[in-house]
């Protein structure tokens, strides 16, 4: 079945450091890929998405590129802030209206 | 414009009891999906409702059931609660009329089963 694998956390960085959170997926066809963020005590917020191969999703300084050849969608940010501390989830969706399949999440802690 | 709302925020039940969780979708949305998020895990899809019918279902037992009302709000019912049902239950809404049908999540209901 479909699945998403994320690097295990927690990831601890100093402010202004470079962030990479790895995400790979297994799915047939051409899924859409997403990154969601969950701040403490809150629900999930969509951070960015990509709907086809080689698409780059970006938002709030975060970027991820849909790489079909490596079945990956790694999340990157050039300079993290303390306010980026949260849990990040990679997810896929096979078609519009379909369910989301999530990874286990990666906790990011950014120190001042 | 209110986003997705869920009630209650927190709930404590004992094993064997039944629970009902409620969700109001974002304005203009007609599809509601429910997810279970165990502690330290990613959300797992339970089921999705559209036009008052269950359209998709994940790998959850029949103890988990749902309903969608004509105003698109939805309920999740869990019978014969087990300790393992303790989790954050997330509701997500979307619009069937949108091209990419993005799902918007509510803040969740945290269920504790003792």
């Amino acid at each position: 079945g479909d699945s998403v694998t994320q690097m295990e956390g927690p990831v601890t960085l100093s402010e202004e450091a470079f962030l990479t959170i790895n995400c790979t997926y297994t799915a047939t066809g051409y899924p859409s890929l997403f990154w969601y963020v969950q701040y403490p005590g809150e629900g999930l917020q969509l951070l960015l998405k990509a709907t086809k191969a080689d698409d780059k999703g970006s938002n709030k300084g975060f970027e991820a590129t849909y790489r079909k050849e490596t079945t990956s969608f790694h999340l990157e940010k050039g300079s993290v802030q303390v306010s980026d501390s949260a849990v990040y989830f990679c997810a896929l969706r096979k078609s519009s209206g379909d369910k989301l399949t999530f990874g286990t999440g990666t906790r990011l802690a950014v120190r001042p | 414009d209110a986003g997705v709302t869920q009630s209650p925020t927190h709930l404590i039940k004992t094993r064997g009891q039944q629970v009902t969780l409620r969700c109001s979708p974002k304005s203009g949305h007609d599809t509601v999906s429910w997810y279970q998020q165990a502690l330290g895990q990613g959300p797992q899809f339970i089921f999705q409702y559209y036009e008052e019918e269950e359209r998709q279902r994940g790998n959850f037992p029949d103890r988990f059931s749902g309903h969608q009302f004509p105003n698109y709000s939805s309920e999740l019912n869990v019978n014969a609660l087990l300790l393992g049902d303790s989790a954050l239950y997330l509701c997500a809404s979307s619009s069937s009329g949108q091209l990419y049908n993005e799902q918007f999540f509510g803040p969740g209901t945290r269920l504790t089963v003792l």
Side-chain angles (χ1 to χ4, degrees), chain B residues 47-59:
Chain B
F47 43 52
Q48 183 183 83
Y49 276 84
Y50 172 67
E51 292 189 336
E52 301 180 48
E53 291 192 357
E54 184 182 289
R55 185 162 70 172
Q56 296 181 66
R57 188 178 183 91
N59 188 25

Side-chain angles (χ1 to χ4, degrees), chain B residues 1-6 22-27 29 31-33 90-94 103-108:
Chain B
D1 174 28
V4 180
T5 60
Q6 294 186 242
R22 295 176 175 83
C23 172
S24 292
K26 185 177 168 66
S27 177
H29 286 185
T31 303
V32 173
S33 302
L90 296 167
C91 169
S93 74
S94 56
Q103 294 188 22
F104 289 79
F105 283 82

Side-chain angles (χ1 to χ4, degrees), chain A residues 25-88:
Chain A
Y25 68 91
T26 300
T28 56
Y30 301 92
S32 295
L33 301 174
F34 304 83
W35 277 101
Y36 281 84
V37 58
Q38 188 173 38
Y39 297 102
E42 298 185 14
L44 298 174
Q45 299 176 24
L46 178 64
L47 182 59
L48 53 83
K49 66 183 179 186
T51 57
K52 60 183 187 295
D54 299 326
D55 266 3
K56 177 185 283 188
S58 61
N59 186 27
K60 299 181 181 178
F62 291 89
E63 293 184 340
T65 301
Y66 188 164
R67 302 286 189 200
K68 186 149 181 72
E69 63 276 12
T70 54
T71 63
S72 65
F73 193 54
H74 305 320
L75 182 68
E76 297 181 336
K77 186 175 186 183
S79 176
V80 294
Q81 306 300 311
V82 172
S83 58
D84 293 327
S85 298
V87 181
Y88 292 81

Side-chain angles (χ1 to χ4, degrees), chain B residues 85-101:
Chain B
D85 295 332
S86 296
L88 180 68
Y89 288 85
L90 296 167
C91 169
S93 74
S94 56
S95 171
S96 61
Q98 291 183 347
L99 178 60
Y100 292 113
N101 214 348

Side-chain angles (χ1 to χ4, degrees), chain B residues 8-87:
Chain B
T9 305
H10 296 86
L11 204 50
I12 299 175
K13 292 286 188 178
T14 57
R15 281 177 297 174
Q17 285 190 309
Q18 179 265 345
V19 69
T20 297
L21 311 182
R22 295 176 175 83
C23 172
S24 292
K26 185 177 168 66
S27 177
H29 286 185
D30 57 7
T31 303
V32 173
S33 302
W34 286 93
Y35 294 81
Q36 180 196 66
Q37 185 180 10
L39 195 62
Q41 300 297 313
Q44 297 292 315
F45 175 74
I46 303 174
F47 43 52
Q48 183 183 83
Y49 276 84
Y50 172 67
E51 292 189 336
E52 301 180 48
E53 291 192 357
E54 184 182 289
R55 185 162 70 172
Q56 296 181 66
R57 188 178 183 91
N59 188 25
F60 279 80
D62 292 345
R63 298 187 297 110
F64 289 77
S65 63
H67 189 75
Q68 186 179 35
F69 299 94
N71 67 352
Y72 308 119
S73 67
S74 177
E75 289 182 349
L76 163 65
N77 301 292
V78 187
N79 294 323
L81 285 167
L82 303 174
L83 295 179
D85 295 332
S86 296

Side-chain angles (χ1 to χ4, degrees), chain A residues 31-32 34 91-100, chain B residues 100-102:
Chain A
S32 295
F34 304 83
L92 70 81
R93 190 180 70 193
K94 293 294 285 293
S95 61
S96 180
D98 197 8
K99 66 179 182 180
L100 288 162
Chain B
Y100 292 113
N101 214 348
E102 178 185 334

